[in-house]
Amino acid sequence: MDCINAKYVSQKISKTRWRPVSASSLQQPELLATGSWDNEDNKVSIWSVGENGGHDSTDENVSGVCCTLQTLSVLHTWEGAHHYQCARAPCTAVVCSSPELVSVGEDGRVVLYKADQSRIVRTIENADSSTIHAVTFLRTAEVLTVNSIGQLKLWDLRQGNEPAQILTLTGDRVPLHCVDKHPNQQHIVATGGQDGMLCIWDVRQGSVPFSLMEAHSAEMWEVHFHPSNPDHLFTCSEDGSLLHWETSSGSDTPSFLQGRNSSMMSRSATAPAGGNQSLISAWLSGDSSKGRLETTHMLPSQTLSVNSLDVLGQCLVCGTDGEAVYIHRRVLV
Amino acid sequence: MEEVDVEPTTTLIPGVGLKQKHLGFEWGPGDILVYETNFRPAGAGSGCPSVHVVRKDEDIYSPILRKLFNESHHIFVGLQNITEDVPSKNKKPQFVSISKNYRSVIRACMEELQHVAVSTQDVTLVCQYSNQVSILLATELIWNLCEVLFIDAAPAGCLLLHLLDWVRLHKADVDEKAKEVLQSDSPTNHLAYWDVVISFILQGRVDEARHVLTKQASVQAASRTLYQLMDTLLHKMPVFNPSGTQTLTEFDMKWRHWHEECDRCLQDKSFASNPHLETICKILLGDEDAMLEHKELLGTWYHFLVSRLLFSHPTVKPAELHYYAKSSMDMFLDSRSVPEPLDSILLAAFEFDLHQVIKDCSIALNNWWFVAHLTDLLDHCKLLQSHNLHFGSNLREFLVLEYASGLVSHHSLWQLAVDYFDHCPEFGRVYLELQLERVPLETERKALKVLRICEQRHMTEQVRSICKIMAKRALSNNRLGSALSWSIRAKDAGFATLISERFLQDYCTRGSFSDLDLIDNLGPAMLLSDRLTFLGKYREFHRLYGENKFTEAGKLLLSLMTAKIAPRSFWMTLLTDALPLLEQKEVIFSADQTHELMFCLEELTSDNTEPKPEPPALGEDVETAKLELLRLALARNLAMAIVKEGTVEA
């Protein structure tokens, strides 16, 4: 708790992301970008995070964050990519897997771009009859989208205009707001919904989620697996909380893996290059009430909605509707 | 009608009202729209075609001051939440620390504004920033004094110590001067040397004064004894220690002894040779004229007040303050200068007239931030008598409502206002209900946030209205799935029916369903409205048919009509759908089912006896042809069914 820094930035934050650092360097990320919303003119700002000295003193200077002198310039604008018949439609999410970009919007379209081309590469019209809230790349040419009638759709961008697979929750069609895939095991996907439920899905099997967990009391805006330590998951929500989920493989193995050497399910299990199919991630162990799941609140006190979070290495950043950015530089992963 | 407290100020709006055109205006939530009317008193000439927005409060649009609003909102919410769990005796330190939090937020903003004012080039901006800085400075001064007098409410003895802290905090240039003097080559010859010494003494910082005086003592060997004497005097000055064992009366006695000793030194003319030291001695004795000679070092009348009290009545009681305050102000200020608003506010504070303080601050400042938060804090300390205002609730609620209403008109800060309205027990909810309906909903995400706010407070009317707005918008953009998800959220059966009608209409015109992903996966939402259920079931019928499960399809189709799930208008379509089933080689419908189908057909045709207004002749033909076909098919099916059912299996 004492390593959290808060900075008030005079704009409500809708998205915040660390600038990626190369995996080989052991540096902590230094630059982060934030996007604002609900202002008359919204901005993207780049911030640099300095080193804080004296992290165990109580009255450390709060801001190691300041705006940098780096400038951003617009490379391309794709106007009107999302539209209704006579008006523009809000674009709700963008995902990038250089140089390809995919965006989704309230008009139910999935639009593909290339970063260096000024024309849209392809549009999947009528991809959805409701608003698509989030998109993520599953494999090179596959994307996952979630929409406001609670469906997870898998699209193969090389073929056709129909989703390759549709997965839904049984029961009430609660809108899903965010999606993220497991960094190593690409069939494992986490989504967050309007009622604050965290669902873990196995895309290969079944059309229903593997496990459901009650995470928050309001909409969950973002869910992220930790990129290098996928046993850790972070979620943030409208109710002003940011949760850190940690799953650990205990010694009790699921029944269909009995006889397996339990040392294979180590905490930071990375899938071996051979793609060992029987290596089950701790997330799919199903029964969360066995106490293998630990949750910690990351923010010290109740704030307004936490709209976005990003985690890289040991650094966690999140942005809120209270016009503050919180940075934690010693996340235990 | 109440009389006005101050004369209304005139604001000039450039470009409007020229040529004696009449102005019209309209009130908005936080501003006024002003426009030129068409009324022409004389002569021709076009007027100004634009509408002007006149805003009173520029501060909420300043990016640096926004931090003030956000951080103080955080503190406000924290304050409302603590008061429940702790018994009131122990709450004072908490309130004091909350007050300090507020003040540190003001200071942080002030520093940032100063920083920006220094670095910016634009002259008008510099002017604006400096104005804001001086206003913040004044508000912090007033808040600090209120904290000392009302929240901390120190008794005699401690009171003076707190007042000294207050003055020292707001007269920081002494340290700079001292540093400059001490770092110069020859401190004792510095012009400001004696100013520094006297400033330290006036602020009660005796040890630092002594430190500076030693420089003089080391230089002038001849008057060493003199300086020794002064040093001893200063050293012996008693200072009240609140945590010590000494009572106030003991301290008072000690102080009187010391005072007499200083007096003796003065009477003995010990310091006569050195006019500076003599002045210092006079000041130590509380000689007002000696202090007033150094007006420029004091700077303000309240500094004079505190210094005066320090050296003549250190055991001053809170109730006696106002007398000294008034007289200090009269002595310090020239009779011809008009007291500024700040001075009258401080005077009211010294007189412990809280309401006057709040009233004057409300008039002097252009937004409600300061008075709302201060009054709220004082109310929690139970310092405000809760007399009801004759236009509604009590003072605290009134001010918080005014502040929140100002916030809610801001395009972004409206979210903060919600918490303020929540903590106004009488009128907050009503205000919130009215305001939330007027928040512009540009994107779905914003609508979701507003909806969540309404749902958490059980404002069902607002939930319905927002969902309906979003659903209507989605429908007009042809986003049927979105429209349906909004109606599900509002549990709005009527709208769900509307959407299903749209789907069915689409089907009738095009012959196929759009948005299959939605209809196929309706799930329990199907039960929201009858029409929706029908839609789901009808789609299921098509699916069963496509999978060649004809018997089940037939059964479903029949149940749709007999259970009255299908609307009457759709029965013709259903019966037409039944045709291919009837024409199959094998018998799908049993005899009973066929009878029921025929019954439905008869019901349908018997209703159609009223003359249709303008049917095209072609349509009539098609209709009759269809009916003929149906009747034939039904009859044939009935025959086959009877035969099949009557046959004894071999």
Side-chain angles (χ1 to χ4, degrees):
Chain A
M1 274 318 160
D2 44 338
C3 307
I4 287 234
N5 279 347
K7 178 156 174 74
Y8 284 86
V9 297
S10 303
Q11 39 182 321
K12 293 207 276 205
I13 305 290
S14 67
K15 280 275 181 275
T16 165
R17 293 283 180 266
W18 287 112
R19 184 175 181 185
V21 292
S22 62
S24 51
S25 78
L26 293 172
Q27 276 179 328
Q28 300 278 42
E30 294 267 321
L31 289 179
L32 72 105
T34 60
S36 72
W37 77 285
D38 219 12
N39 270 342
E40 277 163 0
D41 295 310
N42 288 303
K43 313 187 279 198
V44 176
S45 322
I46 310 260
W47 305 83
S48 104
V49 181
E51 269 304 316
N52 298 320
H55 52 269
D56 38 26
S57 69
T58 49
D59 52 348
E60 57 180 349
N61 50 342
V62 156
S63 80
V65 184
C66 60
C67 223
T68 65
L69 299 174
Q70 296 197 3
T71 48
L72 289 175
S73 54
V74 179
L75 197 58
H76 280 299
T77 315
W78 290 277
E79 298 271 350
H82 288 281
H83 55 274
Y84 301 121
Q85 262 169 352
C86 1
R88 300 272 181 94
C91 167
T92 47
V94 157
V95 73
C96 169
S97 162
S98 232
E100 285 170 358
L101 300 163
V102 177
S103 81
V104 290
E106 285 187 16
D107 57 346
R109 282 192 181 81
V110 177
V111 186
L112 287 82
Y113 320 79
K114 265 209 156 62
D116 46 0
Q117 293 180 11
S118 59
R119 280 183 1 168
I120 296 177
V121 170
R122 185 170 156 220
T123 314
I124 304 181
E125 299 276 346
N126 254 330
D128 211 310
S129 62
S130 60
T131 306
I132 307 180
H133 284 295
V135 64
T136 183
F137 270 100
L138 197 60
R139 275 173 261 268
T140 343
E142 289 182 7
V143 289
L144 269 178
T145 60
V146 289
N147 66 11
S148 69
I149 41 179
Q151 295 172 331
L152 187 62
K153 291 188 183 174
L154 184 61
W155 301 86
D156 192 334
L157 297 177
R158 291 164 298 204
Q159 340 157 344
N161 273 350
E162 291 298 316
Q165 208 183 345
I166 301 185
L167 302 94
T168 27
L169 281 167
T170 51
D172 283 332
R173 297 282 182 253
V174 176
L176 294 172
H177 283 292
C178 50
V179 64
D180 193 29
K181 73 165 204 299
H182 195 284
N184 307 319
Q185 294 169 303
Q186 289 169 339
H187 52 92
I188 298 179
V189 162
T191 61
Q194 193 166 287
D195 51 357
M197 291 278 243
L198 173 65
C199 305
I200 310 283
W201 308 70
D202 186 338
V203 176
R204 297 171 311 187
Q205 346 167 331
S207 60
V208 288
F210 215 92
S211 61
L212 288 142
M213 289 165 268
E214 274 189 27
H216 294 278
S217 53
E219 286 88 349
M220 188 191 298
W221 292 124
E222 282 204 17
V223 61
H224 282 273
F225 280 100
H226 192 282
S228 42
N229 243 336
D231 281 337
H232 296 259
L233 184 75
F234 296 86
T235 60
C236 69
S237 154
E238 175 75 23
D239 66 3
S241 59
L242 205 171
L243 293 178
H244 172 185
W245 303 74
E246 184 180 334
T247 180
S248 52
S249 321
S251 54
D252 43 339
T253 63
S255 55
F256 53 91
L257 272 189
Q258 234 133 45
R260 249 210 179 256
N261 191 354
S262 63
S263 66
M264 288 208 62
M265 303 201 304
S266 58
R267 268 176 48 117
S268 46
T270 51
N276 190 348
Q277 287 295 333
S278 56
L279 190 71
I280 299 291
S281 161
W283 290 108
L284 294 186
S285 53
D287 189 359
S288 61
S289 65
K290 272 197 195 145
R292 293 144 126 256
L293 208 56
E294 258 177 57
T295 324
T296 358
H297 279 270
M298 297 296 290
L299 291 178
S301 58
Q302 200 70 3
T303 56
L304 288 180
S305 162
V306 183
N307 289 328
S308 172
L309 74 95
D310 196 21
V311 60
L312 193 60
Q314 280 194 317
C315 300
L316 172 73
V317 64
C318 70
T320 67
D321 267 349
E323 307 195 355
V325 172
Y326 292 84
I327 298 181
H328 195 307
R329 303 208 87 193
R330 273 172 230 287
V331 178
L332 298 165
V333 287
Chain B
M1 165 95 162
E2 295 260 334
E3 48 187 52
V4 286
D5 297 304
V6 284
E7 283 306 309
T9 52
T10 316
T11 314
L12 199 62
I13 305 173
V16 156
L18 308 171
K19 303 186 185 129
Q20 299 187 321
K21 283 255 181 155
H22 287 206
L23 291 182
F25 72 95
E26 192 59 50
W27 281 108
D31 34 30
I32 310 179
L33 294 179
V34 173
Y35 52 91
E36 278 192 359
T37 62
N38 268 333
F39 182 77
R40 275 195 270 263
S46 57
C48 176
S50 22
V51 174
H52 299 257
V53 178
V54 181
R55 262 183 207 141
K56 184 175 177 228
D57 178 17
E58 272 292 306
D59 287 345
I60 48 177
Y61 294 94
S62 149
I64 297 174
L65 283 181
R66 262 170 88 155
K67 301 189 201 191
L68 183 71
F69 297 122
N70 276 294
E71 292 200 62
S72 55
H73 163 261
H74 193 72
I75 301 174
F76 177 88
V77 171
L79 170 61
Q80 311 305 313
N81 290 335
I82 58 151
T83 45
E84 279 90 49
D85 18 318
V86 183
S88 43
K89 273 195 288 274
N90 307 338
K91 285 191 202 161
K92 191 165 93 157
Q94 269 185 315
F95 290 142
V96 172
S97 96
I98 286 179
S99 177
K100 287 190 165 46
N101 275 346
Y102 275 121
R103 281 196 299 123
S104 69
V105 167
I106 301 178
R107 288 205 147 245
C109 255
M110 210 159 55
E111 278 165 20
E112 196 170 337
L113 273 174
Q114 260 167 349
H115 185 74
V116 175
V118 160
S119 55
T120 189
Q121 312 286 345
D122 191 348
V123 176
T124 42
L125 272 184
V126 170
C127 192
Q128 189 187 17
Y129 288 145
S130 331
N131 275 344
Q132 283 170 340
V133 169
S134 53
I135 292 179
L136 282 179
L137 212 68
T139 52
E140 209 254 323
L141 182 74
I142 301 170
W143 193 303
N144 201 347
L145 185 61
C146 289
E147 181 186 315
V148 167
L149 293 177
F150 304 125
I151 301 174
D152 215 351
C158 297
L159 179 61
L160 186 67
L161 294 176
H162 289 216
L163 283 175
L164 273 175
D165 283 333
W166 174 64
V167 160
R168 284 174 199 165
L169 197 57
H170 292 98
K171 192 110 183 67
D173 55 354
V174 180
D175 292 296
E176 280 169 34
K177 250 198 275 184
K179 209 163 83 164
E180 201 190 304
V181 165
L182 289 173
Q183 284 174 352
S184 70
D185 306 321
S186 168
T188 50
N189 291 335
H190 200 288
L191 281 173
Y193 177 80
W194 286 108
D195 285 341
V196 167
V197 176
I198 295 182
S199 302
F200 276 140
I201 293 187
L202 286 170
Q203 284 193 0
R205 293 155 83 170
V206 178
D207 291 329
E208 288 161 272
R210 285 173 56 213
H211 174 71
V212 179
L213 270 179
T214 50
K215 305 273 182 228
Q216 191 73 275
S218 52
V219 164
Q220 296 192 7
S223 352
R224 193 166 293 177
T225 41
L226 215 55
Y227 283 95
Q228 286 280 38
L229 182 58
M230 176 50 79
D231 193 68
T232 345
L233 264 186
L234 288 174
H235 183 58
K236 279 206 228 161
M237 176 174 164
V239 176
F240 184 65
N241 184 356
S243 49
T245 50
Q246 193 185 49
T247 66
L248 197 63
T249 17
E250 283 171 11
F251 166 73
D252 197 33
M253 254 190 354
K254 250 184 116 175
W255 186 82
R256 280 185 204 286
H257 280 310
W258 175 80
H259 191 87
E260 281 164 14
E261 200 178 325
C262 292
D263 202 23
R264 252 177 282 136
C265 287
L266 192 66
Q267 303 299 340
D268 292 347
K269 305 240 184 278
S270 327
F271 295 115
S273 51
N274 190 326
H276 292 289
L277 289 179
E278 189 160 18
T279 319
I280 293 179
C281 194
K282 283 197 198 155
I283 291 177
L284 291 179
L285 282 171
D287 184 340
E288 285 130 12
D289 298 316
M291 289 193 219
L292 283 172
E293 272 170 36
H294 297 277
K295 251 195 197 177
E296 74 286 354
L297 291 180
L298 287 169
T300 53
W301 62 270
Y302 40 92
H303 191 329
F304 173 55
L305 162 69
V306 175
S307 307
R308 204 178 141 205
L309 287 173
L310 174 66
F311 294 115
S312 49
H313 300 275
T315 54
V316 63
K317 292 202 260 294
E320 300 167 339
L321 266 181
H322 72 98
Y323 163 69
Y324 291 109
K326 192 83 181 64
S327 54
S328 305
M329 194 162 96
D330 292 335
M331 277 191 254
F332 192 90
L333 296 176
D334 298 331
S335 46
R336 42 194 161 85
S337 62
V338 177
E340 302 201 342
L342 178 62
D343 296 328
S344 41
I345 294 171
L346 291 173
L347 193 60
F350 283 121
E351 290 170 0
F352 284 80
D353 189 353
L354 260 181
H355 288 276
Q356 189 64 32
V357 171
I358 294 172
K359 185 171 172 187
D360 286 343
C361 287
S362 312
I363 295 172
L365 296 168
N366 69 344
N367 81 20
W368 298 98
W369 178 86
F370 175 68
V371 280
H373 287 90
L374 183 63
T375 313
D376 173 64
L377 184 57
L378 293 173
D379 188 61
H380 278 291
C381 302
K382 310 249 184 295
L383 290 167
L384 287 180
Q385 307 149 329
S386 59
H387 62 249
N388 283 343
L389 305 172
H390 51 253
F391 39 84
S393 49
N394 60 28
L395 185 63
R396 171 204 169 261
E397 182 158 326
F398 171 70
L399 291 173
V400 174
L401 284 173
E402 286 292 313
Y403 172 64
S405 308
L407 269 188
V408 88
S409 60
H410 189 274
H411 52 77
S412 184
L413 294 176
W414 58 271
Q415 261 185 305
L416 302 179
V418 173
D419 281 309
Y420 287 102
F421 283 131
D422 278 342
H423 292 106
C424 292
E426 246 184 271
F427 292 114
R429 196 189 159 87
V430 174
Y431 271 67
L432 191 58
E433 283 176 1
L434 290 172
Q435 297 283 11
L436 280 178
E437 283 182 339
R438 285 158 176 79
V439 173
L441 304 170
E442 303 103 354
T443 62
E444 279 204 359
R445 200 158 216 224
K446 189 161 177 188
L448 285 171
K449 285 180 186 269
V450 178
L451 260 184
R452 181 61 63 180
I453 294 173
C454 293
E455 278 177 358
Q456 279 170 345
R457 289 153 184 81
H458 308 291
M459 294 179 176
T460 43
E461 268 310 305
Q462 278 66 34
V463 169
R464 288 188 59 134
S465 120
I466 291 172
C467 285
K468 192 157 268 175
I469 292 172
M470 296 306 290
K472 240 2 207 137
R473 202 185 287 176
L475 207 58
S476 66
N477 283 322
N478 224 14
R479 310 292 314 146
L480 293 175
S482 296
L484 190 63
S485 92
W486 286 110
S487 348
I488 292 173
R489 178 111 183 231
K491 301 198 188 8
D492 191 349
F495 216 82
T497 311
L498 201 74
I499 297 169
S500 326
E501 293 277 338
R502 267 288 274 273
F503 271 117
L504 292 170
Q505 267 173 25
D506 275 351
Y507 172 76
C508 287
T509 40
R510 269 189 288 163
S512 67
F513 284 108
S514 58
D515 305 320
L516 280 176
D517 60 341
L518 172 65
I519 310 176
D520 279 342
N521 296 302
L522 276 177
M526 223 193 312
L527 301 172
L528 186 59
S529 117
D530 286 341
R531 202 51 54 81
L532 202 54
T533 320
F534 167 65
L535 184 65
K537 294 276 178 214
Y538 189 50
R539 169 67 198 145
E540 204 181 319
F541 162 73
H542 277 267
R543 245 211 333 259
L544 288 170
Y545 190 91
E547 290 168 10
N548 290 349
K549 298 192 182 132
F550 295 126
T551 341
E552 283 138 44
K555 227 189 296 193
L556 182 58
L557 190 63
L558 193 55
S559 67
L560 283 178
M561 280 190 283
T562 48
K564 309 266 188 258
I565 302 179
R568 215 28 112 72
S569 50
F570 221 73
W571 279 15
M572 203 58 218
T573 322
L574 288 177
L575 287 168
T576 324
D577 283 331
L579 231 104
L581 289 175
L582 293 166
E583 301 285 329
Q584 293 277 337
K585 285 238 168 29
E586 46 176 290
V587 175
I588 311 245
F589 290 107
S590 71
D592 291 329
Q593 287 175 331
T594 320
H595 273 126
E596 286 184 33
L597 276 174
M598 291 164 116
F599 180 66
C600 293
L601 184 58
E602 287 315 308
E603 252 192 82
L604 201 58
T605 45
S606 61
D607 278 348
N608 289 349
T609 48
E610 77 267 12
K612 294 210 176 62
E614 23 54 61
L618 187 59
E620 270 291 306
D621 279 346
V622 171
E623 278 301 306
T624 36
K626 262 205 277 189
L627 282 172
E628 300 264 329
L629 270 171
L630 263 175
R631 291 217 171 87
L632 187 58
L634 281 169
R636 277 214 284 256
N637 193 53
L638 186 59
M640 286 203 294
I642 293 176
V643 167
K644 178 176 169 210
E645 280 163 29
T647 311
V648 172
E649 294 297 320

